[in-house]
Amino acid sequence: MVSRLAAVVFPWRRFGPRASLVVVLLTIVVCGGATVVAADAVGASLTGTTTIDNPNRPPAELCEQRENGTSGFADACTAPPEVDVDRGDHAATAVRQLLPGTLLSVVGVWLLFTGLLALGGSVRELGVQTAWALPPLAVPAVVRAVVATRLAPTTQWPTALEPLTATARRVGLGGGSDLVTAAGLLGVAGSGAILVAVARDTEGVWWGPLAAGAAVVTLGVGPLLGTPAPRLLGTGLVVAALGLPTTFAPRRVATLAARRELIGYSGVEQVAPKPWYVAVQHVVGLLLLAGGLIVAGVPAYLV
């Protein structure tokens, strides 16, 4: 009876790394699939076209130069000056552009969960365990898709394409619905509870509640970030990547830094950083990782 209860409370004890990988992949599939469903619902709710300047046609002055024989834009200038854009396709594409950010967000959050506990144990083992904190984040994704499907047909859609893009993404993410917000906070709380369970099941990790609290705070800012901007995804991921070495290998980074400073001295191979310095390196890496995820808008993709 006790072993069965432990398998429920601590499923990583019964299932191995493969099961954890399956859990991660299923979370990615659910979150990504919910984005695709929302995109289809948004696209199906719009009809008609919008006329815009042809982006493939050079400016008028260049075409005038071409007529005078001083420009090489021969074929491009024969294109029509204006084109019609299907509003439904444009809106659906705007929501689908959130798909890469959604998929990367699941992986980024997994790294954050593991990094919060990495100082107290094996990164590989902790990664296997923290993977089980991801499924609760699939709950708000499903709720968003359901809300978007119901909200899209009743939305007043703008005519201009830029406002249409912003509105489509907002509706695709649930339109700021209270139900979506509640589901997001519930998912974050569930992930935090599992992180606490992982910490209690890992020897030497006494800061589990603090780690769970940091994860909840990081993800909880999602509703405050508004609609995520795909253009910021790359910048945020670069910042997060800068924090990965000191997050997952703080002792090795500190040791290498000390050896570099002691080049020319004997006994360099025995240099060992003090525990407090390793902890500082780890915290700095976590701050970069969490800050990069926030800059990328990761919480807004998931919560």
Side-chain angles (χ1 to χ4, degrees):
M1 182 65 180
V2 175
S3 60
R4 292 182 180 179
L5 181 60
V8 174
V9 179
F10 308 118
W12 48 87
R13 289 186 180 181
R14 180 177 181 182
F15 305 100
R18 292 183 180 180
S20 296
L21 181 59
V22 170
V23 167
V24 174
L25 293 177
L26 286 177
T27 304
I28 291 176
V29 169
V30 172
C31 292
T35 302
V36 173
V37 170
D40 292 342
V42 168
S45 66
L46 280 89
T47 57
T49 60
T50 296
T51 302
I52 62 172
D53 293 334
N54 190 346
N56 298 321
R57 179 183 170 88
E61 55 271 17
L62 293 180
C63 290
E64 291 177 0
Q65 294 176 8
R66 175 252 180 184
E67 293 177 357
N68 296 330
T70 58
S71 174
F73 295 96
D75 297 331
C77 287
T78 61
E82 295 181 336
V83 293
D84 292 332
V85 176
D86 186 279
R87 288 160 50 80
D89 288 344
H90 180 84
T93 300
V95 179
R96 289 195 187 98
Q97 288 174 346
L98 300 175
L99 183 58
T102 301
L103 304 182
L104 291 173
S105 294
V106 176
V107 178
V109 169
W110 186 22
L111 291 175
L112 177 64
F113 288 169
T114 305
L116 286 168
L117 305 175
L119 197 60
S122 168
V123 172
R124 182 177 181 274
E125 293 179 0
L126 288 170
V128 169
Q129 296 173 9
T130 56
W132 294 88
L134 295 177
L137 298 178
V139 174
V142 174
V143 174
R144 279 178 166 180
V146 173
V147 171
T149 302
R150 296 181 178 180
L151 187 62
T154 62
T155 300
Q156 296 295 327
W157 297 101
T159 302
L161 292 186
E162 188 172 347
L164 179 61
T165 297
T167 303
R169 289 174 179 167
R170 180 180 60 82
V171 173
L173 293 176
S177 166
D178 293 338
L179 179 59
V180 171
T181 302
L185 296 179
L186 179 63
V188 171
S191 295
I194 294 175
L195 286 180
V196 172
V198 170
R200 290 181 175 178
D201 198 41
T202 303
E203 184 178 356
V205 181
W206 54 266
W207 60 90
L210 295 177
V216 168
V217 170
T218 302
L219 293 178
V221 301
L224 303 179
L225 296 177
T227 304
R231 58 184 175 81
L232 296 177
L233 184 63
T235 303
L237 292 181
V238 169
V239 175
L242 293 176
L244 292 180
T246 51
T247 297
F248 294 103
R251 184 176 302 277
R252 178 169 297 182
V253 171
T255 301
L256 291 176
R259 289 179 179 177
R260 183 180 60 183
E261 294 177 359
L262 294 175
I263 289 178
Y265 294 85
S266 61
V268 173
E269 64 279 357
Q270 299 178 358
V271 172
K274 294 184 177 181
W276 68 265
Y277 186 67
V278 175
V280 169
Q281 292 278 1
H282 183 67
V283 170
V284 170
L286 280 175
L287 291 176
L288 285 173
L289 177 58
L293 294 180
I294 292 176
V295 170
V298 163
Y301 282 100
L302 300 176
V303 181

